[in-house]
Amino acid sequence: MDLGIIGQAAGLFAVTNIDDILILALFFAQGAGYPGSTRRIVLGQYLGFAAILAVAVAAAFGATFLPESAIPYLGLLPLALGLKAAWQAWKDHRDGSADEEEEQAEEGGPGPLEVAAVTFANGGDNIGVYVPVFATAGVGGMSVYAVVFLVLVAVWCFAGKFFATRPVIAKALARWGHVLLPLVLVTIGLLILIEGGAFGL
């Protein structure tokens, strides 16, 4: 096992996914107190990142499931989820009924598909970085990159959970998380759309 490739893989993952820690911390804060929420968030993160890896590996072998022109439109996913979260927060704030609290308790914070959608959309631009690296690394090197990336997803989840449970941060997220999560998701969505030139922006 080449330590050089492991180091390169770790560096590439860290540089392309640094913003995911904030998003994960917000998701963990949103799921605080709900049984099984950590498992659902970690599962969603793995699903989303596995999809990114699958598309990047396929593209490195010459298959193009996503035309490059379609990638900016992935910004619609976090944008829609952010607007949905904002609507939910406004509704909860407006009437704060016991029924809604019970419904939220059943849901247990963010679901795996919601987390996966945000992870995939936020990492859509990473695919363009990973493809040439994977294509030149060969099958053996690509396997090392994939293993290192998947191990680091767990580290990222741990870091997100760690930040979300620090008393000062947890208190701030508990107070402002319902505002921050929609804001961050909408911002990510708009940035992906604008930077990619979607809809002629």
mmCIF file of all heavy atoms in Angstrom, residues 138-167:
data_model
loop_
_atom_site.group_PDB
_atom_site.id
_atom_site.type_symbol
_atom_site.label_atom_id
_atom_site.label_comp_id
_atom_site.label_asym_id
_atom_site.label_seq_id
_atom_site.Cartn_x
_atom_site.Cartn_y
_atom_site.Cartn_z
ATOM 1 N N GLY A 138 -5.425 4.629 -12.137
ATOM 2 C CA GLY A 138 -5.577 3.209 -12.454
ATOM 3 C C GLY A 138 -6.505 2.535 -11.447
ATOM 4 O O GLY A 138 -6.893 3.149 -10.444
ATOM 5 N N VAL A 139 -6.822 1.275 -11.699
ATOM 6 C CA VAL A 139 -7.780 0.558 -10.849
ATOM 7 C C VAL A 139 -7.275 0.431 -9.417
ATOM 8 O O VAL A 139 -8.015 0.667 -8.455
ATOM 9 C CB VAL A 139 -8.095 -0.841 -11.431
ATOM 10 C CG1 VAL A 139 -9.015 -1.615 -10.498
ATOM 11 C CG2 VAL A 139 -8.733 -0.719 -12.801
ATOM 12 N N GLY A 140 -5.998 0.077 -9.247
ATOM 13 C CA GLY A 140 -5.418 -0.076 -7.903
ATOM 14 C C GLY A 140 -5.448 1.221 -7.129
ATOM 15 O O GLY A 140 -5.895 1.264 -5.979
ATOM 16 N N GLY A 141 -4.991 2.302 -7.764
ATOM 17 C CA GLY A 141 -4.970 3.610 -7.110
ATOM 18 C C GLY A 141 -6.368 4.103 -6.792
ATOM 19 O O GLY A 141 -6.614 4.664 -5.732
ATOM 20 N N MET A 142 -7.285 3.847 -7.733
ATOM 21 C CA MET A 142 -8.684 4.260 -7.541
ATOM 22 C C MET A 142 -9.284 3.568 -6.322
ATOM 23 O O MET A 142 -10.033 4.177 -5.559
ATOM 24 C CB MET A 142 -9.485 3.881 -8.790
ATOM 25 C CG MET A 142 -10.608 4.815 -9.113
ATOM 26 S SD MET A 142 -11.598 4.248 -10.505
ATOM 27 C CE MET A 142 -10.444 4.338 -11.847
ATOM 28 N N SER A 143 -8.948 2.295 -6.151
ATOM 29 C CA SER A 143 -9.448 1.530 -4.995
ATOM 30 C C SER A 143 -8.948 2.143 -3.692
ATOM 31 O O SER A 143 -9.698 2.253 -2.721
ATOM 32 C CB SER A 143 -8.989 0.070 -5.070
ATOM 33 O OG SER A 143 -9.393 -0.501 -6.277
ATOM 34 N N VAL A 144 -7.673 2.559 -3.684
ATOM 35 C CA VAL A 144 -7.101 3.185 -2.481
ATOM 36 C C VAL A 144 -7.836 4.494 -2.188
ATOM 37 O O VAL A 144 -8.223 4.756 -1.044
ATOM 38 C CB VAL A 144 -5.583 3.446 -2.653
ATOM 39 C CG1 VAL A 144 -5.034 4.222 -1.457
ATOM 40 C CG2 VAL A 144 -4.828 2.138 -2.818
ATOM 41 N N TYR A 145 -8.037 5.308 -3.230
ATOM 42 C CA TYR A 145 -8.773 6.566 -3.060
ATOM 43 C C TYR A 145 -10.163 6.300 -2.481
ATOM 44 O O TYR A 145 -10.584 6.972 -1.549
ATOM 45 C CB TYR A 145 -8.915 7.296 -4.405
ATOM 46 C CG TYR A 145 -7.756 8.213 -4.722
ATOM 47 C CD1 TYR A 145 -6.701 7.785 -5.506
ATOM 48 C CD2 TYR A 145 -7.730 9.520 -4.246
ATOM 49 C CE1 TYR A 145 -5.636 8.628 -5.800
ATOM 50 C CE2 TYR A 145 -6.676 10.376 -4.524
ATOM 51 C CZ TYR A 145 -5.629 9.921 -5.307
ATOM 52 O OH TYR A 145 -4.582 10.763 -5.586
ATOM 53 N N ALA A 146 -10.861 5.314 -3.040
ATOM 54 C CA ALA A 146 -12.229 5.010 -2.589
ATOM 55 C C ALA A 146 -12.244 4.595 -1.122
ATOM 56 O O ALA A 146 -13.074 5.074 -0.341
ATOM 57 C CB ALA A 146 -12.831 3.912 -3.464
ATOM 58 N N VAL A 147 -11.312 3.720 -0.724
ATOM 59 C CA VAL A 147 -11.256 3.242 0.674
ATOM 60 C C VAL A 147 -10.946 4.404 1.620
ATOM 61 O O VAL A 147 -11.604 4.588 2.653
ATOM 62 C CB VAL A 147 -10.213 2.109 0.831
ATOM 63 C CG1 VAL A 147 -9.964 1.795 2.302
ATOM 64 C CG2 VAL A 147 -10.676 0.849 0.102
ATOM 65 N N VAL A 148 -9.938 5.220 1.253
ATOM 66 C CA VAL A 148 -9.562 6.359 2.104
ATOM 67 C C VAL A 148 -10.737 7.333 2.228
ATOM 68 O O VAL A 148 -11.065 7.802 3.321
ATOM 69 C CB VAL A 148 -8.314 7.086 1.536
ATOM 70 C CG1 VAL A 148 -8.047 8.390 2.285
ATOM 71 C CG2 VAL A 148 -7.084 6.179 1.625
ATOM 72 N N PHE A 149 -11.408 7.618 1.115
ATOM 73 C CA PHE A 149 -12.553 8.529 1.129
ATOM 74 C C PHE A 149 -13.647 8.005 2.063
ATOM 75 O O PHE A 149 -14.205 8.754 2.856
ATOM 76 C CB PHE A 149 -13.127 8.696 -0.275
ATOM 77 C CG PHE A 149 -12.339 9.630 -1.176
ATOM 78 C CD1 PHE A 149 -11.129 10.159 -0.777
ATOM 79 C CD2 PHE A 149 -12.823 9.964 -2.427
ATOM 80 C CE1 PHE A 149 -10.398 11.010 -1.605
ATOM 81 C CE2 PHE A 149 -12.119 10.817 -3.258
ATOM 82 C CZ PHE A 149 -10.901 11.342 -2.856
ATOM 83 N N LEU A 150 -13.953 6.715 1.953
ATOM 84 C CA LEU A 150 -15.037 6.137 2.761
ATOM 85 C C LEU A 150 -14.684 6.111 4.249
ATOM 86 O O LEU A 150 -15.562 6.290 5.097
ATOM 87 C CB LEU A 150 -15.396 4.741 2.253
ATOM 88 C CG LEU A 150 -16.064 4.720 0.862
ATOM 89 C CD1 LEU A 150 -16.208 3.301 0.351
ATOM 90 C CD2 LEU A 150 -17.414 5.430 0.881
ATOM 91 N N VAL A 151 -13.397 5.910 4.572
ATOM 92 C CA VAL A 151 -12.957 5.972 5.975
ATOM 93 C C VAL A 151 -13.104 7.411 6.483
ATOM 94 O O VAL A 151 -13.577 7.653 7.598
ATOM 95 C CB VAL A 151 -11.495 5.481 6.121
ATOM 96 C CG1 VAL A 151 -10.933 5.826 7.502
ATOM 97 C CG2 VAL A 151 -11.405 3.975 5.883
ATOM 98 N N LEU A 152 -12.720 8.372 5.629
ATOM 99 C CA LEU A 152 -12.775 9.777 6.051
ATOM 100 C C LEU A 152 -14.202 10.305 6.165
ATOM 101 O O LEU A 152 -14.450 11.257 6.911
ATOM 102 C CB LEU A 152 -11.953 10.650 5.095
ATOM 103 C CG LEU A 152 -10.434 10.472 5.242
ATOM 104 C CD1 LEU A 152 -9.679 11.266 4.199
ATOM 105 C CD2 LEU A 152 -9.965 10.884 6.645
ATOM 106 N N VAL A 153 -15.153 9.686 5.482
ATOM 107 C CA VAL A 153 -16.564 10.055 5.666
ATOM 108 C C VAL A 153 -16.941 9.829 7.131
ATOM 109 O O VAL A 153 -17.609 10.661 7.757
ATOM 110 C CB VAL A 153 -17.492 9.253 4.727
ATOM 111 C CG1 VAL A 153 -18.955 9.417 5.133
ATOM 112 C CG2 VAL A 153 -17.320 9.708 3.278
ATOM 113 N N ALA A 154 -16.473 8.705 7.698
ATOM 114 C CA ALA A 154 -16.745 8.406 9.115
ATOM 115 C C ALA A 154 -16.091 9.452 10.018
ATOM 116 O O ALA A 154 -16.689 9.906 10.999
ATOM 117 C CB ALA A 154 -16.236 7.007 9.466
ATOM 118 N N VAL A 155 -14.866 9.856 9.675
ATOM 119 C CA VAL A 155 -14.163 10.884 10.457
ATOM 120 C C VAL A 155 -14.939 12.201 10.388
ATOM 121 O O VAL A 155 -15.101 12.897 11.399
ATOM 122 C CB VAL A 155 -12.712 11.076 9.925
ATOM 123 C CG1 VAL A 155 -12.017 12.243 10.623
ATOM 124 C CG2 VAL A 155 -11.904 9.790 10.092
ATOM 125 N N TRP A 156 -15.431 12.543 9.200
ATOM 126 C CA TRP A 156 -16.214 13.779 9.011
ATOM 127 C C TRP A 156 -17.498 13.732 9.836
ATOM 128 O O TRP A 156 -17.882 14.719 10.438
ATOM 129 C CB TRP A 156 -16.535 13.960 7.526
ATOM 130 C CG TRP A 156 -15.790 15.095 6.865
ATOM 131 C CD1 TRP A 156 -16.350 16.118 6.150
ATOM 132 C CD2 TRP A 156 -14.379 15.336 6.825
ATOM 133 N NE1 TRP A 156 -15.376 16.965 5.679
ATOM 134 C CE2 TRP A 156 -14.157 16.515 6.084
ATOM 135 C CE3 TRP A 156 -13.277 14.679 7.363
ATOM 136 C CZ2 TRP A 156 -12.885 17.035 5.858
ATOM 137 C CZ3 TRP A 156 -12.009 15.185 7.139
ATOM 138 C CH2 TRP A 156 -11.825 16.345 6.409
ATOM 139 N N CYS A 157 -18.158 12.571 9.848
ATOM 140 C CA CYS A 157 -19.382 12.413 10.650
ATOM 141 C C CYS A 157 -19.065 12.600 12.130
ATOM 142 O O CYS A 157 -19.814 13.278 12.850
ATOM 143 C CB CYS A 157 -20.003 11.036 10.405
ATOM 144 S SG CYS A 157 -20.757 10.850 8.784
ATOM 145 N N PHE A 158 -17.962 12.015 12.570
ATOM 146 C CA PHE A 158 -17.543 12.148 13.969
ATOM 147 C C PHE A 158 -17.274 13.619 14.295
ATOM 148 O O PHE A 158 -17.696 14.133 15.339
ATOM 149 C CB PHE A 158 -16.293 11.307 14.243
ATOM 150 C CG PHE A 158 -15.746 11.471 15.633
ATOM 151 C CD1 PHE A 158 -16.301 10.779 16.702
ATOM 152 C CD2 PHE A 158 -14.699 12.342 15.883
ATOM 153 C CE1 PHE A 158 -15.815 10.949 17.997
ATOM 154 C CE2 PHE A 158 -14.202 12.523 17.175
ATOM 155 C CZ PHE A 158 -14.765 11.821 18.228
ATOM 156 N N ALA A 159 -16.575 14.322 13.381
ATOM 157 C CA ALA A 159 -16.253 15.739 13.606
ATOM 158 C C ALA A 159 -17.537 16.576 13.670
ATOM 159 O O ALA A 159 -17.675 17.451 14.532
ATOM 160 C CB ALA A 159 -15.335 16.251 12.495
ATOM 161 N N GLY A 160 -18.473 16.301 12.754
ATOM 162 C CA GLY A 160 -19.744 17.028 12.760
ATOM 163 C C GLY A 160 -20.497 16.821 14.059
ATOM 164 O O GLY A 160 -21.020 17.771 14.656
ATOM 165 N N LYS A 161 -20.538 15.569 14.521
ATOM 166 C CA LYS A 161 -21.217 15.227 15.785
ATOM 167 C C LYS A 161 -20.487 15.878 16.963
ATOM 168 O O LYS A 161 -21.114 16.397 17.892
ATOM 169 C CB LYS A 161 -21.236 13.697 15.942
ATOM 170 C CG LYS A 161 -21.818 13.196 17.248
ATOM 171 C CD LYS A 161 -23.307 13.023 17.168
ATOM 172 C CE LYS A 161 -23.831 12.345 18.418
ATOM 173 N NZ LYS A 161 -25.269 12.255 18.443
ATOM 174 N N PHE A 162 -19.145 15.866 16.909
ATOM 175 C CA PHE A 162 -18.326 16.460 17.969
ATOM 176 C C PHE A 162 -18.652 17.949 18.119
ATOM 177 O O PHE A 162 -18.916 18.433 19.215
ATOM 178 C CB PHE A 162 -16.838 16.269 17.646
ATOM 179 C CG PHE A 162 -15.911 16.937 18.630
ATOM 180 C CD1 PHE A 162 -15.597 16.328 19.838
ATOM 181 C CD2 PHE A 162 -15.356 18.179 18.348
ATOM 182 C CE1 PHE A 162 -14.745 16.947 20.754
ATOM 183 C CE2 PHE A 162 -14.506 18.804 19.252
ATOM 184 C CZ PHE A 162 -14.202 18.184 20.454
ATOM 185 N N PHE A 163 -18.643 18.673 16.982
ATOM 186 C CA PHE A 163 -18.927 20.112 17.043
ATOM 187 C C PHE A 163 -20.354 20.378 17.514
ATOM 188 O O PHE A 163 -20.588 21.305 18.285
ATOM 189 C CB PHE A 163 -18.700 20.766 15.676
ATOM 190 C CG PHE A 163 -17.240 20.916 15.328
ATOM 191 C CD1 PHE A 163 -16.730 20.358 14.165
ATOM 192 C CD2 PHE A 163 -16.365 21.585 16.171
ATOM 193 C CE1 PHE A 163 -15.381 20.472 13.849
ATOM 194 C CE2 PHE A 163 -15.015 21.706 15.869
ATOM 195 C CZ PHE A 163 -14.526 21.154 14.697
ATOM 196 N N ALA A 164 -21.291 19.550 17.053
ATOM 197 C CA ALA A 164 -22.701 19.758 17.409
ATOM 198 C C ALA A 164 -22.971 19.490 18.887
ATOM 199 O O ALA A 164 -23.982 19.945 19.417
ATOM 200 C CB ALA A 164 -23.588 18.865 16.550
ATOM 201 N N THR A 165 -22.076 18.738 19.559
ATOM 202 C CA THR A 165 -22.307 18.402 20.972
ATOM 203 C C THR A 165 -21.401 19.181 21.938
ATOM 204 O O THR A 165 -21.431 18.927 23.138
ATOM 205 C CB THR A 165 -22.107 16.883 21.210
ATOM 206 O OG1 THR A 165 -20.823 16.492 20.712
ATOM 207 C CG2 THR A 165 -23.180 16.075 20.514
ATOM 208 N N ARG A 166 -20.567 20.091 21.418
ATOM 209 C CA ARG A 166 -19.802 20.958 22.336
ATOM 210 C C ARG A 166 -20.794 21.924 22.976
ATOM 211 O O ARG A 166 -21.613 22.536 22.261
ATOM 212 C CB ARG A 166 -18.716 21.767 21.599
ATOM 213 C CG ARG A 166 -17.574 20.973 20.973
ATOM 214 C CD ARG A 166 -16.901 19.995 21.893
ATOM 215 N NE ARG A 166 -17.582 18.709 21.840
ATOM 216 C CZ ARG A 166 -17.482 17.744 22.739
ATOM 217 N NH1 ARG A 166 -16.729 17.905 23.802
ATOM 218 N NH2 ARG A 166 -18.121 16.607 22.599
ATOM 219 N N PRO A 167 -20.748 22.093 24.310
ATOM 220 C CA PRO A 167 -21.778 22.888 24.996
ATOM 221 C C PRO A 167 -22.051 24.259 24.375
ATOM 222 O O PRO A 167 -23.202 24.606 24.135
ATOM 223 C CB PRO A 167 -21.223 23.029 26.415
ATOM 224 C CG PRO A 167 -20.392 21.793 26.599
ATOM 225 C CD PRO A 167 -19.806 21.490 25.253
#
